[in-house]
Amino acid sequence: MNFFIYLLVMAGITYLIRMLPLVLVKEKIHNKYILSFLYYIPYAVLSAMTVPAIFYATFSPISAAFGFVAALILAYFGKSLLTVAACSSAAVFVAELIMKYLIK
């Protein structure tokens, strides 16, 4: 029974979060600071969720750092998401292999 109560509360809060901006903000937003804030929110939230997970996804934070640096470099140069993900995964794999033979 508690599960359904929690489910209803979660559904209600999710609905309110999505519905309230539509009800409260009826006209177009012209303030450049608010527009800038709303523009960068998805990037900030995605970074806040992704970056910590990167360092706990491997057996070693060192190999995770190699993958993170590889991803940053490739993303800086404008490579596609698939290229960044594949190359950073390969960097982690190579780092794990090297560490396996160096650290015994």
Side-chain angles (χ1 to χ4, degrees):
M1 186 62 184
N2 283 341
F3 172 76
F4 293 110
I5 293 172
Y6 296 148
L7 185 66
L8 285 173
V9 169
M10 182 188 66
I13 290 172
T14 302
Y15 178 73
L16 284 175
I17 289 171
R18 295 183 183 275
M19 182 262 316
L20 281 177
L22 296 174
V23 171
L24 297 177
V25 181
K26 295 190 187 275
E27 57 205 37
K28 184 168 175 64
I29 299 172
H30 297 289
N31 188 327
K32 66 179 180 177
Y33 298 109
I34 294 175
L35 288 174
S36 176
F37 174 77
L38 293 174
Y39 179 80
Y40 287 110
I41 282 290
Y43 301 110
V45 170
L46 184 62
S47 298
M49 292 188 315
T50 305
V51 171
I54 289 171
F55 292 103
Y56 294 106
T58 64
F59 291 117
S60 169
I62 296 170
S63 63
F66 276 103
F68 182 65
V69 169
L72 282 178
I73 291 170
L74 291 170
Y76 179 76
F77 287 110
K79 300 299 179 187
S80 70
L81 180 62
L82 184 62
T83 304
V84 171
C87 291
S88 61
S89 297
V92 169
F93 181 70
V94 169
E96 290 280 340
L97 283 177
I98 291 171
M99 288 173 45
K100 180 179 176 181
Y101 292 110
L102 289 179
I103 302 171
K104 289 187 181 187

